[in-house]
Amino acid sequence: MWIIFALLSAVFAALTSIFAKIGIENVNSNLATAIRTVVVLLMAWLIVFATGKHQQLADITSKSWLFLVLSGLATGFSWLCYFYALQIGEASKVVPVDKFSVVITMVMAFFILGETVTLKTIIGGLLITAGTLVLIF
């Protein structure tokens, strides 16, 4: 089931890039990011309240709060950089470079999370890196 949601995530991420590239024409990238963030915030809280999950707020540990806040800050910085890059660059080049985060995540997962390094992940990471370099140059 995870693969279906991962593929849907990829489709929505692609739509995000295309819609954003069209939407940021003549709009400051930071303002565009702020507008997008408000929409995401409202949508997420609507889903939380609609499903009754807001009652679990009290169960969140200090460690989880810390890392969720850090993740939110990283997301914010990522979105600000992404929207600026998208505004000044071509979507067909910006998006693949942004997706190089896949390789960076793999490396961090190996070192920080202790996930298993396999030949398949190494080859996949190298292929993504090669593809990213081809698109940059």
Side-chain angles (χ1 to χ4, degrees), residues 52-108:
K53 301 301 182 189
H54 63 285
Q55 297 170 352
Q56 297 176 4
L57 276 169
D59 300 333
I60 300 174
T61 66
S62 298
K63 177 183 176 184
S64 289
W65 273 110
L66 171 65
F67 282 96
L68 290 171
V69 167
L70 290 173
S71 175
L73 290 170
T75 298
F77 285 121
S78 172
W79 286 3
L80 290 168
C81 294
Y82 176 74
F83 261 54
Y84 185 67
L86 198 57
Q87 187 168 49
I88 63 175
E90 297 176 37
S92 61
K93 292 181 181 171
V94 169
V95 174
V97 172
D98 174 66
K99 298 308 176 199
F100 186 67
S101 64
V102 171
V103 175
I104 297 169
T105 301
M106 290 167 64
V107 172
M108 288 182 171

Side-chain angles (χ1 to χ4, degrees), residues 10-11 15 18 22 25 28 38 61 70 73 89 94-95 97 103 105 124 131 133-135:
V11 169
L15 287 172
I18 299 303
I22 297 167
E25 188 176 330
N28 174 272
V38 168
T61 66
L70 290 173
L73 290 170
V94 169
V95 174
V97 172
V103 175
T105 301
L133 291 173
V134 166
L135 290 168

